[in-house]
Amino acid sequence: MSDQPLGMSGAAVAEAEAPPGGALLEVRKLRTSFFTADGVVHAVDNVSFDVAKGEAVALVGESGCGKSVTAMSIMRLVAPPGRITGGEVRFKGRDLVKLSEREMRDVRGDDVAMVFQEPMTSLNPVFKIGDQVAEAIRIHQKVSKREARKRAGEMLELVSIPDPIKRLDDYPHQLSGGMRQRVMIAMALSCDPELLIADEPTTALDVTIQAQIMELLASLQKRLGLAILLITHDLGVVAEFCERIIVMYTGRIVEEAPVRDLFANPAHPYTRGLLKSLPSITGSGTTKRLPTIAGMVPPIDALPPGCKFNPRCPDVMPICLGNEPARMVVGPGHDARCYLHGDQADPERM
């Protein structure tokens, strides 16, 4: 697991094991803060996790829990008044937090690439698709315009866009939402990165197109040996695609587990609430109202003391109102930030 092992009474803390195949990305105690007129707020607070080579990991949680800020922090794209104020983001052992902006520009796209939520706002509406994909290639690779255009066509073909050579001369508005998202994936993969961060890649797409995009990412992962960090609020989307799931709440990781373990044995009350709210098909023929998690996510600048989920938790105990719990071991590769699995929190894991 992410942090150093520490002896604890009641429960042991999750151990610092690299995932099988070796850690490509190592996030350690990452903190990203926003300096506002009302004070400093920590949108990402002491977040630690790994992504192994060729592994697909999902980062899930409700809107506003810190998923996208975590992704933007990894890419060093957090805009003022936000900035990284603590921790490390190591890619192949190199701490990206300490790189100069020029060095980081070389990493973006070439080693680590990102697909953003809404392709229509990410693509420039006044430039042709081929020019935009070719530009991404020429930024990182010393090739001619002609060679870059040829590779752009190959990338559109890779992501299964019909008649890719013709599409090079189309403008973004001439493509459907699903095709635009495929273009964004083509741009992200154009320089052969080892890690792809996909931030809500199926947002604003209909269900059929969502499935196609996820199938595309899965096939590209296997074909290219990609590591993928998938940011999403939809646990259903990742059930068959990812190998591990990391659950976030109020800027913190509250549970991490292999996919099957998390679905079969969710350890944190917040995770259980998310899973119960997933729609399911039953043979009873009756329509039942889906369960919901009581209350609302607290404002990031007004978090409760102790466990940040305690105002909404059906299992809240007196201890939950004091110190914030550590990430406690639940099983192999499975931990949860919850006193149900231990009785001591350590400052190193808060």
Side-chain angles (χ1 to χ4, degrees), residues 72-198:
M72 298 296 273
S73 300
I74 293 169
M75 297 295 289
R76 288 268 307 275
L77 291 173
V78 178
R83 69 171 185 263
I84 296 172
T85 55
E88 300 177 338
V89 178
R90 293 192 173 273
F91 179 77
K92 299 173 72 172
R94 189 183 187 193
D95 189 0
L96 303 184
V97 175
K98 295 180 179 178
L99 298 185
S100 67
E101 181 55 36
R102 183 174 181 178
E103 291 173 319
M104 193 62 206
R105 280 199 300 267
D106 291 336
V107 171
R108 293 188 201 109
D110 203 20
D111 298 310
V112 184
M114 188 167 177
V115 177
F116 296 91
Q117 290 187 29
E118 178 46 62
M120 198 58 190
T121 58
S122 301
L123 292 169
N124 193 317
V126 301
F127 288 101
K128 295 178 180 178
I129 293 297
D131 293 336
Q132 297 189 57
V133 179
E135 181 185 23
I137 294 168
R138 296 194 72 202
I139 286 173
H140 294 282
Q141 299 180 0
K142 295 180 179 179
V143 297
S144 65
K145 287 184 178 181
R146 183 175 181 178
E147 179 61 29
R149 181 179 171 85
K150 178 184 176 183
R151 181 160 174 77
E154 293 170 350
M155 294 309 300
L156 296 190
E157 183 177 8
L158 177 69
V159 297
S160 303
I161 289 182
D163 204 356
I165 302 303
K166 181 180 178 182
R167 292 296 188 183
L168 291 173
D169 293 317
D170 284 350
Y171 289 92
H173 74 271
Q174 294 176 280
L175 302 181
S176 67
M179 288 296 107
R180 287 195 295 267
Q181 193 60 282
R182 288 173 187 267
V183 169
M184 291 301 301
I185 295 171
M187 291 176 65
L189 300 181
S190 61
C191 295
D192 299 320
E194 293 185 66
L195 171 65
L196 178 67
I197 300 175

Side-chain angles (χ1 to χ4, degrees), residues 280-341:
S280 62
I281 299 174
T282 63
S284 63
T286 61
T287 302
K288 293 184 178 180
R289 193 177 186 88
L290 288 174
T292 59
I293 300 174
M296 300 289 291
V297 179
I300 197 68
D301 60 348
L303 297 177
C307 174
K308 307 311 172 191
F309 188 61
N310 72 63
R312 310 174 69 189
C313 183
D315 302 311
V316 64
M317 303 177 289
I319 193 174
C320 304
L321 309 179
N323 293 324
E324 188 170 3
R327 289 170 63 178
M328 313 290 187
V329 167
V330 177
H334 189 172
D335 69 66
R337 190 183 293 277
C338 182
Y339 283 119
L340 291 173
H341 306 284

Side-chain angles (χ1 to χ4, degrees), residues 2-3 25-33 42-49 59 66-76 78 83-90 95-97 229 248 251-253 327 337 348 350:
S2 301
D3 297 302
L25 176 73
E26 302 168 272
V27 178
R28 293 289 180 271
K29 302 184 187 303
L30 177 65
R31 171 176 280 181
T32 301
S33 307
H42 306 302
V44 174
D45 200 358
N46 193 30
V47 164
S48 298
F49 64 90
L59 192 58
K67 307 184 303 295
S68 292
V69 177
T70 299
M72 298 296 273
S73 300
I74 293 169
M75 297 295 289
R76 288 268 307 275
V78 178
R83 69 171 185 263
I84 296 172
T85 55
E88 300 177 338
V89 178
R90 293 192 173 273
D95 189 0
L96 303 184
V97 175
L229 178 61
M248 288 190 73
R252 294 154 176 78
I253 291 175
R327 289 170 63 178
R337 190 183 293 277
E348 293 297 316
M350 291 175 66

